[in-house]
Amino acid sequence: MELSKNDHLKVIIVGGVGGGASCAARLRRLDENAEIIMVERGPYVSYANCGLPYYVGGVIPRESSLLVADESVFRDLFAIDVRTHTEAISISPEEKTMELRNAATGEVTTESYDKLVLSPGATPIRPPLPGIDLPGIFKVRTVPDVRDIRNWLEGHDPYSSGMHTYTGYQTVVPARRAVVVGGGFIGLEMAENLIHLGLDVTLIQRGEHVMAPMDPEMALYVERHMEKHGVRLVLDDNVTGFRQSEDGSLEVLTGSGMVIPADVAVLGIGVRPENWLAEEAGLEIGERGGIRVDDQMRTSDPHIFAVGDAIEVKDYVTGQWAHIAMAGPANRQGRIAADVITGRDATFRGTQGTSIIGVFGGAAAFTGVSEKMLKRLAEEDYEKIYLYPNSHAGYYPGAKYLAMKILFRRSDGRLLGAQAVGQDGVDKRIDALAMAIQLGATIYDLEEAELCYAPQFGSAKSPVNFAGMVAADVLRGDMPLCHWDSEEAEFLLDVRDPRELAIEDVPGAVNIPLTQLRARLDELPRDRKIRVFCRSGQRAYYATRVLLQNGFKVRNLAGGMMSRENLVPE
């Protein structure tokens, strides 16, 4: 390993949040003699950017709570040379040097390195729309960003947030109307927190549904839940500009012609990798704009590593290049880079996008690939199931149902992806399924998974086990499956109780309650395929077993009426 003139390894880390901070701390634990410099252009290192929306809403009451570790912790505990308010402005890979600029003084210095780690993060997308620089329009990336939003909402301290340039009444009157642009994590979390503050909130999403990584029928649960709690959703529309109204407030203009009044607007459109430093240094940049790295976090220059939101990595399930900006992978990548720099043989397995969001007491989570992605890749070797188990034993008070979608290969049963929505137990089910995916497990493995059980925590047949059993029934031929979104015209058999039909029914379906099915088999056609359904799929499964063993051609409509309400347009 090449070392500096003082015979100690010298490492410069650009970026002091997430992956950069993780790399610095790990590096010190592995090499007590290394010279470690961590530069951060902002005022803080190692802050909890995932908690920023909750500081706006007052869930996290103190700004100091967002600061996981400050400069003194890194200096005193880890002997790391931390330089905040310092920006990396250029890299010379040939000389293994880089230029740093002190933001306070403007002084530019040159530092040499043995190894360089880039962790600049990702930049919030701020499109060049008319009026986007008007006061009252904010992004959410740093602690100062959310401090400005809070000041604006409270109608205080106009000079800290640009309000001294504003001519309206908002310098003294708290905001009451908010527009959030973007339906991803930041957008949904900001919408919830603004509702908690008592604002009227409109969320504008360019796509057809919120939470783009999820499939639309699963995202619909999130949308209904948000609307139930007062968020006005404007979907499949885009913001075309902003303007100031006569009373000094904002007007948000959309492509469909809407003009939405607002006292504050928050941009949560998404992020793009901050790659300019790497690009100017001649490092390889991927198609998604991220810095390309190998499985040891090396860039195209063997002495330069990159981690976190600025990079592209391989999707664990598809093998495709992906840009996934999340704290968990960033921290693991930082550790791996430190391991490799100090001579250990560590590798990053790739990412599967495991994520969760909490909204108004509920949660939506996912891992692996979505059906949208499989279709985009022209993948046909897959099947899907929907199930609606209780979060814990139904006889124990407080059980809530979970809506789950499981994707797996038809050919070998390998688990490909999972999505879940609910008010209890979403996280631990997706965590279990995420680990199963990373280990290459099949739905048959889910059948046999041994998971903890007590009635207040789960069921003897866990939702994870249940998913495996249902999927295995499909692949073994015990429950031939079909879906509401198929175009086939077949005989529809509804095995629900007649009282349920008064709430919802399917035009053209024949109703024979499950309890009467064996006595009324002669009413069913033997020369047609029968599609059978119930409320959630369980009674339809029992009916399927009866009909198959009596010689009928039958398939169970996945998820029953509970999936139909999200898959079939009214």
Side-chain angles (χ1 to χ4, degrees):
M1 181 182 296
E2 297 179 21
L3 299 178
S4 301
K5 293 179 181 179
N6 60 6
D7 293 331
H8 295 317
L9 180 68
K10 181 177 180 181
V11 182
I12 299 178
I13 299 170
V14 178
V17 182
S22 176
C23 181
R26 175 71 169 172
L27 194 56
R28 174 57 73 221
R29 293 195 296 271
L30 297 180
D31 189 341
E32 182 61 24
N33 297 314
E35 179 183 358
I36 306 170
I37 301 172
M38 183 168 69
V39 301
E40 168 59 44
R41 68 183 168 201
Y44 305 111
V45 294
S46 196
Y47 62 83
N49 48 10
C50 295
L52 297 178
Y54 300 97
Y55 174 63
V56 173
V59 178
I60 298 173
R62 296 186 303 276
E63 183 179 296
S64 60
S65 299
L66 297 170
L67 307 179
V68 180
D70 59 16
E71 295 178 57
S72 64
V73 170
F74 281 94
R75 287 182 181 135
D76 300 341
L77 188 60
F78 296 112
I80 291 169
D81 181 1
V82 180
R83 304 180 189 180
T84 55
H85 298 289
T86 301
E87 184 177 13
I89 58 175
S90 69
I91 304 169
S92 178
E94 297 78 12
E95 286 85 26
K96 295 173 69 174
T97 61
M98 69 182 314
E99 289 188 329
L100 306 176
R101 180 169 57 211
N102 185 306
T105 66
E107 179 187 6
V108 175
T109 57
T110 300
E111 288 281 354
S112 63
Y113 62 82
D114 296 311
K115 301 295 180 184
L116 173 63
V117 181
L118 301 178
S119 182
T123 304
I125 296 172
R126 192 179 179 91
L129 298 174
I132 198 166
D133 293 322
L134 284 170
I137 302 172
F138 299 93
K139 67 182 188 304
V140 181
R141 187 191 188 192
T142 65
V143 174
D145 289 339
V146 293
R147 183 189 304 145
D148 287 349
I149 295 173
R150 280 186 58 145
N151 288 334
W152 181 271
L153 293 174
E154 294 166 0
H156 298 160
D157 196 6
Y159 284 86
S160 74
S161 58
M163 288 178 65
H164 59 290
T165 64
Y166 210 73
T167 59
Y169 60 91
Q170 284 195 350
T171 55
V172 292
V173 178
R176 287 290 173 260
R177 301 164 300 178
V179 169
V180 177
V181 184
F185 291 96
I186 290 294
L188 268 59
E189 289 167 350
M190 283 301 304
E192 177 186 15
N193 280 281
L194 292 169
I195 286 282
H196 289 330
L197 291 176
L199 277 72
D200 294 325
V201 178
T202 299
L203 185 145
I204 304 171
Q205 166 69 351
R206 184 173 186 173
E208 64 177 10
H209 63 83
V210 301
M211 295 303 294
M214 300 185 77
D215 287 320
E217 72 274 21
M218 299 302 291
L220 189 54
Y221 291 111
V222 181
E223 293 167 3
R224 289 174 180 152
H225 192 62
M226 293 184 69
E227 290 176 328
K228 176 183 175 182
H229 286 84
V231 179
R232 178 191 180 200
L233 296 180
V234 177
L235 303 177
D236 204 17
D237 203 353
N238 63 301
V239 173
T240 57
F242 304 85
R243 69 189 181 202
Q244 195 175 58
S245 66
E246 292 182 1
D247 65 4
S249 62
L250 291 168
E251 291 181 338
V252 183
L253 314 178
T254 76
S256 68
M258 296 179 69
V259 179
I260 304 172
D263 301 310
V264 63
V266 178
L267 303 179
I269 301 171
V271 296
R272 59 169 58 95
E274 189 163 312
N275 62 17
W276 67 268
L277 189 64
E279 192 169 26
E280 289 185 1
L283 303 182
E284 182 182 0
I285 306 297
E287 293 178 3
R288 297 182 178 273
I291 304 168
R292 278 282 170 90
V293 295
D294 63 15
D295 61 359
Q296 294 193 312
M297 314 320 297
R298 286 191 187 88
T299 68
S300 52
D301 183 305
H303 303 292
I304 302 177
F305 295 72
V307 301
D309 296 355
I311 70 170
E312 286 186 15
V313 294
K314 288 291 184 74
D315 184 292
Y316 182 76
V317 178
T318 68
Q320 303 288 313
W321 287 103
H323 174 244
I324 298 179
M326 294 192 305
N331 278 276
R332 295 200 307 277
Q333 292 157 9
R335 287 175 57 90
I336 289 167
D339 284 2
V340 174
I341 288 170
T342 54
R344 297 193 176 193
D345 186 23
T347 57
F348 183 65
R349 297 179 183 176
T351 183
Q352 60 206 56
T354 307
S355 303
I356 188 168
I357 185 170
V359 183
F360 298 108
F366 49 89
T367 185
V369 293
S370 64
E371 186 176 10
K372 288 190 304 184
M373 176 59 73
L374 291 171
K375 288 180 176 179
R376 197 174 301 139
L377 296 174
E379 177 61 64
E380 297 182 353
D381 182 16
Y382 77 91
E383 185 55 276
K384 62 183 176 182
I385 58 170
Y386 300 94
L387 59 154
Y388 305 92
N390 282 325
S391 58
H392 61 248
Y395 61 82
Y396 191 91
K400 307 286 186 181
Y401 86 82
L402 296 166
M404 300 177 67
K405 179 177 182 178
I406 309 295
L407 294 147
F408 53 95
R409 280 188 190 154
R410 284 197 189 100
S411 57
D412 60 9
R414 181 184 174 186
L415 186 62
L416 300 176
Q419 301 168 44
V421 180
Q423 293 180 283
D424 179 41
V426 169
D427 52 346
K428 67 179 180 179
R429 275 62 193 231
I430 291 297
D431 279 345
L433 293 166
M435 178 59 77
I437 288 174
Q438 192 169 110
L439 295 177
T442 68
I443 48 95
Y444 307 113
D445 295 314
L446 300 186
E447 282 187 293
E448 298 299 323
E450 185 169 328
L451 304 169
C452 59
Y453 161 64
Q456 64 268 50
F457 300 111
S459 302
K461 189 187 296 181
S462 160
V464 172
N465 297 135
F466 190 33
M469 292 170 185
V470 173
D473 279 341
V474 174
L475 293 191
R476 291 183 179 124
D478 293 336
M479 187 178 71
L481 203 64
C482 59
H483 301 282
W484 289 105
D485 49 7
S486 68
E487 299 295 329
E488 299 175 63
E490 299 175 349
F491 186 90
L492 287 174
L493 175 61
D494 184 346
V495 295
R496 294 177 297 157
D497 187 280
R499 292 173 295 180
E500 297 175 69
L501 274 65
I503 301 172
E504 55 184 355
D505 66 349
V506 177
V510 173
N511 177 234
I512 301 178
L514 177 63
T515 54
Q516 301 175 21
L517 183 61
R518 289 181 178 88
R520 297 174 62 181
L521 293 178
D522 57 351
E523 298 178 33
L524 298 174
R526 293 185 176 273
D527 58 346
R528 297 178 63 187
K529 293 179 180 178
I530 299 172
R531 296 207 289 178
V532 60
F533 65 93
C534 62
R535 175 62 180 154
S536 65
Q538 188 168 18
R539 284 172 290 174
Y541 166 58
Y542 299 153
T544 298
R545 296 304 304 152
V546 170
L547 294 173
L548 281 174
Q549 293 177 78
N550 278 277
F552 290 92
K553 294 176 285 187
V554 60
R555 292 187 292 175
N556 188 338
L557 273 161
M561 294 297 291
M562 294 184 75
S563 65
R564 183 182 186 273
E565 65 185 9
N566 285 12
L567 288 165
V568 179
E570 293 294 334

